[in-house]
Amino acid sequence: MNGLVMFKSNAQIEAEQEAQRQQQEQMRAQQMYEQTIAGQIRRDWERAKRAKDKVERRMLDCLRRRKGEYDQAKLAKIQETGGSEIFMQLTATKCRAAAAWIRDVLLPANERAWGLEPAPVSEVPEELKRQFAMEIQLAAQQRIQQGEQIDLQALIETALEQVQERANEAAKDAADKMEKVIEDQLAEGGWIEALELFIEDFVTFPGAVLKAPVLRKKSVLQWGENWQPIKASEIAPHVERVSPLDLYPSQDASNPDDAAFIFERARFTRSDISSMRGIPGYNDQAIDQVLQEHGQGGLRDWLWTDSERAHIEGRGEDWLSSDATIDGLIYHGSAMGLSLLEWGVPADQVDPLEEYDIEAILIGRHVVRLVIQNDPLERRPYHVASFQQVPGSFWGQGIPELMADIQDTCNATARALINNLAIASGPQTEVNFDRLAPGENATAMYPWKIWQTKSSMASGNDPAVRFFQPNSNAAELMGVYEKFEQKADEVTNIPRYMYGSQNVGGAGDTASGLSM
């Protein structure tokens, strides 16, 4: 620079122009990406993450309470004051009792908790009614021609009643047969395993999630010529439990079907991705790109909750650093037909200006699957339930949240009780070190110890060692603890006799009252 004039060489000018050109290219590429299906899904994902931030904190707190652990901030404050770090497992006890109670209802031994019942009056098709009425009329006309006196209207009504009875019987038989079909599908589709996990989520988190139907390819054994076993595959409906920590609805959602969009965070292996090739709705080119990028350094999409979640669930730190799995997002939302055409959906299936409800899988920057929802009622394959519903909210309240204040109070009382018992377990000692003889160990305490001291320079009662006994408040603290423990029955509606407590009281003291 000379004065106010700046000089640049041609190389500097060309370098700046090239940098500016590259920045503009990146901006244009980013704008084009955001206009694609992948860009739309990524934008919605960022919105869904922000919307669930507070809910995730609630879920992690519920999981800690169920496991019986303090969060790091609270544990640090307890450790500052010293003393006991005990966590009373009231929440875990209530959750286990509720889960056992629900299992008794939904998974009874040697019987089904569900059934199919046809409508009280099964519908008879109008065509059959007309056909039967014509047959009755022809039969009546023949009898009249033969000279018989009949009441045609009464005859028709009686015949229709018989038809109705036969229709009800046929409907009952069809319902019985359908029960067996459904029972077989549930057994083959993992219903019991998924429901077991769903119940544990139901009593722990603000919401529990079941996903069905999920069409999956599974291996089956078939028999070929000369009874040779052959491995084959078939598509069968399955039921899956989805962790509430992995489901991300839009902020406006009150249930999965009315949400503007909803995400399921999924994890795939390389074999899972490879097996997607050649299946309708999947993009083979995108699948190849995902496998190539994973081989070059992995495809993981960590969230702030992953570290704490891994710790609470006992996965260890290796779960975060491992490249064995590939993170993906299963997306249910809407997209314009124009975007679907750009992705590769056949032109005869979409209108460029229409909005379509879609299901897609996004891995990294690649949409490996995209299909238009084919459910006639536009239902999404998720069902969410809460122990206590909150009207208008997607997530309700779980047992750990309902009794959070009681759990905290009982924890504080138990810590105070343990600390008080420790302090009051023996005498406290006051030592005047100036009066101890040289070499005397004031920290060693044992029966019949002789203290060696020097004479006091002060007049009056001035012992070198004084003992005093701290007061024990155990009885009062136990009374407080038991009172709040009883309050847990009221706020959760899970009485203590569910898990064998003898202190039932009231009607529970009699056999008939306990049965009720």
Side-chain angles (χ1 to χ4, degrees):
M1 178 180 290
N2 186 6
L4 299 178
V5 181
M6 179 181 294
F7 295 94
K8 291 184 180 179
S9 65
N10 291 335
Q12 289 176 325
I13 295 175
E14 291 176 357
E16 291 180 358
Q17 291 176 345
E18 178 64 20
Q20 186 177 6
R21 185 188 65 80
Q22 291 180 358
Q23 184 178 6
Q24 292 174 350
E25 287 292 333
Q26 291 177 355
M27 292 177 61
R28 280 195 295 267
Q30 181 66 23
Q31 291 174 354
M32 292 178 62
Y33 171 76
E34 291 178 351
Q35 294 171 0
T36 63
I37 289 291
Q40 173 189 329
I41 294 175
R42 184 59 66 178
R43 289 197 309 272
D44 288 346
W45 169 237
E46 295 299 326
R47 293 161 58 190
K49 284 194 298 183
R50 290 194 298 269
K52 197 185 175 185
D53 182 73
K54 293 182 179 179
V55 177
E56 283 181 311
R57 299 178 190 276
R58 289 170 52 198
M59 288 183 175
L60 290 174
D61 184 60
C62 289
L63 197 57
R64 281 191 298 266
R65 291 175 180 275
R66 174 73 189 269
K67 194 175 179 181
E69 293 183 358
Y70 293 105
D71 64 75
Q72 294 299 319
K74 190 164 190 175
L75 182 61
K77 292 181 179 179
I78 294 174
Q79 291 173 341
E80 284 180 4
T81 59
S84 174
E85 299 175 10
I86 189 173
F87 193 110
M88 303 304 295
Q89 297 277 6
L90 292 181
T91 299
T93 302
K94 292 295 183 184
C95 290
R96 286 195 302 268
W101 202 351
I102 296 171
R103 286 193 190 94
D104 287 343
V105 176
L106 297 183
L107 298 171
N110 302 322
E111 60 178 310
R112 294 193 302 260
W114 56 273
L116 297 180
E117 289 290 339
V121 179
S122 299
E123 222 176 288
V124 180
E126 291 295 331
E127 294 181 0
L128 291 180
K129 287 183 180 180
R130 288 194 296 267
Q131 179 182 351
F132 194 75
M134 291 177 62
E135 293 177 357
I136 293 298
Q137 288 177 354
L138 291 175
Q141 290 175 0
Q142 291 177 358
R143 293 171 62 182
I144 291 173
Q145 290 174 359
Q146 294 174 359
E148 297 183 21
Q149 296 293 328
I150 61 172
D151 186 347
L152 181 60
Q153 185 64 30
L155 183 63
I156 293 176
E157 291 177 358
T158 302
L160 288 177
E161 289 178 0
Q162 295 175 353
V163 171
Q164 187 66 62
E165 290 178 0
R166 289 201 293 269
N168 290 340
E169 293 175 358
K172 185 67 171 66
D173 292 339
D176 293 339
K177 294 177 181 178
M178 184 55 67
E179 280 184 354
K180 296 180 180 179
V181 174
I182 294 175
E183 187 175 14
D184 181 70
Q185 288 182 344
L186 293 178
E188 295 292 332
W191 161 254
I192 294 179
E193 295 81 359
L195 186 59
E196 286 276 0
L197 296 174
F198 173 86
I199 292 172
E200 292 297 328
D201 289 340
F202 181 77
V203 300
T204 304
F205 293 105
V209 186
L210 273 182
K211 184 179 182 181
V214 181
L215 298 180
R216 296 209 176 279
K217 182 190 295 184
K218 68 173 186 177
S219 299
V220 295
L221 184 64
Q222 294 182 353
W223 301 98
E225 296 181 0
N226 300 323
W227 296 102
Q228 292 295 320
I230 301 174
K231 179 182 177 181
S233 61
E234 64 179 19
I235 303 295
H238 283 69
V239 181
E240 292 182 354
R241 166 259 184 183
V242 177
S243 172
L245 288 163
D246 289 330
L247 196 71
Y248 291 79
S250 59
Q251 192 172 11
D252 64 325
S254 61
N255 61 70
D257 293 328
D258 72 358
F261 50 83
I262 190 169
F263 285 89
E264 177 191 347
R265 195 174 174 216
R267 295 166 186 85
F268 305 97
T269 62
R270 286 186 66 90
S271 60
D272 293 335
I273 303 298
S274 297
S275 64
M276 297 175 182
R277 288 195 184 97
I279 300 178
Y282 288 86
N283 188 309
D284 291 350
Q285 182 179 358
I287 291 172
D288 292 338
Q289 291 174 342
V290 166
L291 293 174
Q292 180 180 0
E293 291 183 14
H294 177 255
Q296 294 174 352
L299 283 168
R300 298 300 304 271
D301 189 6
W302 293 299
L303 300 181
W304 70 269
T305 58
D306 286 347
S307 177
E308 188 168 2
R309 177 182 174 183
H311 167 72
I312 298 174
E313 293 180 348
R315 298 177 184 269
E317 298 179 356
D318 293 342
W319 180 64
L320 291 176
S321 58
S322 174
D323 291 332
T325 57
I326 301 172
D327 286 349
L329 297 173
I330 301 176
Y331 172 78
H332 293 265
S334 63
M336 284 190 63
L338 184 61
S339 298
L340 303 183
L341 291 174
E342 292 176 352
W343 187 83
V345 176
D348 59 346
Q349 296 184 11
V350 295
D351 182 342
L353 301 181
E354 287 290 334
E355 283 282 330
Y356 294 89
D357 196 22
I358 64 168
E359 177 185 349
I361 298 179
L362 177 69
I363 300 177
R365 296 172 60 89
H366 308 289
V367 179
V368 299
R369 167 178 163 84
L370 192 151
V371 294
I372 299 175
Q373 287 281 16
N374 56 6
D375 190 300
L377 300 180
E378 299 180 351
R379 295 170 299 184
R380 289 165 179 163
Y382 299 102
H383 174 73
V384 180
S386 302
F387 186 83
Q388 178 168 305
Q389 294 283 351
V390 176
S393 175
F394 190 92
W395 305 104
Q397 287 184 297
I399 293 175
E401 291 182 297
L402 294 175
M403 57 178 297
D405 292 341
I406 292 175
Q407 178 69 74
D408 292 342
T409 302
C410 287
N411 282 344
T413 305
R415 292 197 306 270
L417 174 62
I418 297 298
N419 293 338
N420 180 250
L421 288 174
I423 292 174
S425 61
Q428 298 286 309
T429 308
E430 178 185 353
V431 179
N432 186 344
F433 285 92
D434 293 336
R435 293 197 53 200
L436 292 182
E440 183 68 35
N441 185 4
T443 61
M445 294 281 292
Y446 51 86
W448 304 101
K449 179 179 180 179
I450 298 176
W451 296 83
Q452 299 184 35
T453 64
K454 295 182 291 186
S455 60
S456 175
M457 300 299 294
S459 60
N461 185 17
D462 184 25
V465 181
R466 300 171 188 254
F467 295 95
F468 64 92
Q469 179 65 41
N471 295 328
S472 173
N473 300 319
E476 182 178 357
L477 291 171
M478 282 298 300
V480 173
Y481 183 89
E482 291 174 357
K483 190 66 176 178
F484 276 93
E485 185 183 20
Q486 294 172 7
K487 293 292 291 183
D489 294 4
E490 300 177 9
V491 298
T492 61
N493 292 329
I494 303 173
R496 282 172 293 167
Y497 65 76
M498 284 292 301
Y499 40 90
S501 175
Q502 297 178 353
N503 301 321
V504 179
D509 289 337
T510 64
S512 59
L514 186 61
S515 176
M516 289 188 293

